[in-house]
């Protein structure tokens, strides 16, 4: 039996993972000097230059994962068609995907929190994210997401957001087939693996993981540390394979 994860925690992890992955994709594609990639000046400059691209990329990446937390897979396409027939704009569609006003408002707060940090040239640390993400109000009924589904959705957000960031140059994503984790051949391996480690940390754990005692060269041990179980690790790598196959077809 798989575990359940609080829906607010999953939603916050998805939003943070989008901003983390999209911004790193933009930076990877446009800053060659490794030392300059994550300086506050570079982060702020590139986020301001791509300000108008954030919302469309967020919608394209996040509509399905947000909807998948609240609706059956087979109902999502019909949901989108009905919203488009009403003439809903992007934010109205995202509001529908969130399921109810409380989750929508929480999503907006997470959006603002992450975006404002990037516009200031900084990233939320895992510890700061876990301490400050929006929780449910006391009067709300607790709701959760199956952990397998939560992992799959988070993997998709990381990989799609990263590719959409890379493609902001107009040259398309760069696929590096020289490194792999399990069966997957990732995009620009080192960055993607770091993004995925952080995403699994904030999704599956309640505190930031200290990697000081882990063997940095052993990716499997690092991922097992954040995934906690072999089952979660397998769910993650299987979804990385599926998502990579989708991206290769685009």
């Amino acid at each position: 039996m798989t575990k359940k994860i609080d829906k607010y925690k999953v939603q916050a992890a998805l939003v943070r993972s989008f901003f983390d992955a999209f911004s790193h994709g933009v930076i990877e594609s446009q800053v060659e000097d490794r030392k300059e990639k994550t300086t506050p000046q570079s982060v702020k400059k590139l986020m301001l230059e791509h300000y108008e691209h954030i919302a469309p990329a967020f919608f394209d990446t996040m509509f399905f994962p947000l909807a998948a937390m609240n609706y059956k897979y087979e109902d999502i396409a019909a949901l989108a068609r009905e919203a488009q027939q009403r003439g809903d704009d992007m934010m109205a569609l995202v509001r529908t995907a969130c399921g109810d006003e409380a989750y929508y408002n929480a999503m907006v707060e997470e959006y603002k929190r992450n975006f404002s940090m990037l516009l200031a040239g900084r990233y939320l640390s895992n510890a700061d994210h876990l301490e400050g993400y929006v929780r449910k109000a006391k009067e709300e009924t607790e709701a959760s997401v199956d952990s397998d589904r939560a992992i799959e959705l988070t993997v998709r957000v990381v990989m799609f957001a990263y590719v959409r960031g890379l493609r902001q140059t107009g040259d398309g994503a760069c696929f590096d087939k020289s490194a792999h984790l399990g069966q997957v051949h990732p995009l620009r391996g080192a960055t993607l693996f770091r993004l995925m480690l952080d995403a699994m940390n904030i999704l599956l754990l309640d505190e930031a993981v200290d990697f000081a005692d882990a063997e940095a060269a052993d990716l499997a041990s690092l991922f097992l540390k954040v995934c906690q179980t072999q089952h979660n690790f397998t769910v993650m790598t299987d979804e990385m394979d599926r998502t990579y196959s989708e991206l290769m077809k685009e």
Side-chain angles (χ1 to χ4, degrees), residues 10-180:
V10 176
Q11 181 172 263
L14 293 177
V15 175
R16 191 286 181 91
S17 294
F18 166 80
F19 279 102
D20 201 19
F22 181 82
S23 60
H24 274 88
V26 171
I27 291 167
E28 285 280 323
S29 68
Q30 299 186 38
V31 181
E32 293 185 5
D33 188 337
R34 181 175 296 181
K35 293 181 179 179
E36 293 295 318
K37 286 185 184 294
T38 55
T39 63
Q41 294 84 356
S42 292
V43 174
K44 183 176 181 178
K45 176 178 179 292
L46 287 171
M47 289 303 98
L48 287 171
E49 288 178 356
H50 292 274
Y51 187 93
E52 73 275 15
H53 302 142
I54 296 284
F58 182 86
F59 172 77
D60 288 343
T61 305
M62 296 291 292
F63 176 79
F64 174 79
L66 290 172
M69 292 199 300
N70 300 293
Y71 304 93
K72 295 179 179 178
Y73 284 151
E74 57 268 27
D75 295 334
I76 294 175
L79 184 78
R81 284 196 302 270
E82 291 169 4
Q84 289 172 341
Q85 288 170 0
R86 293 194 299 269
D88 289 355
D89 61 15
M90 283 193 301
M91 291 313 294
L93 282 164
V94 171
R95 187 189 296 268
T96 299
C98 288
D100 67 32
E101 201 69 14
Y103 289 114
Y104 174 76
N105 290 337
M107 183 279 297
V108 170
E109 287 303 309
E110 293 300 317
Y111 185 106
K112 290 178 180 177
R113 184 166 75 122
N114 283 273
F115 198 6
S116 63
M117 287 288 287
L118 290 174
L119 290 176
R122 296 184 294 143
Y123 286 93
L124 275 174
S125 68
N126 289 355
D128 287 342
H129 170 84
L130 288 168
E131 181 180 353
Y133 74 84
V134 178
R135 270 82 167 172
K136 74 178 183 68
K138 290 182 179 180
E139 66 274 12
E140 287 185 77
T141 301
E142 187 169 347
S144 59
V145 180
D146 178 89
S147 60
D148 283 9
R149 176 174 286 193
I151 292 168
E152 291 164 356
L153 296 175
T154 303
V155 167
R156 292 180 64 82
V157 166
V158 170
M159 295 181 72
F160 272 94
Y162 182 48
V163 167
R164 286 181 172 128
L166 288 171
R167 288 175 177 168
Q168 291 303 306
T169 60
D171 297 328
C174 176
F175 291 82
D176 177 5
K177 298 184 180 181
S178 64
H180 62 88

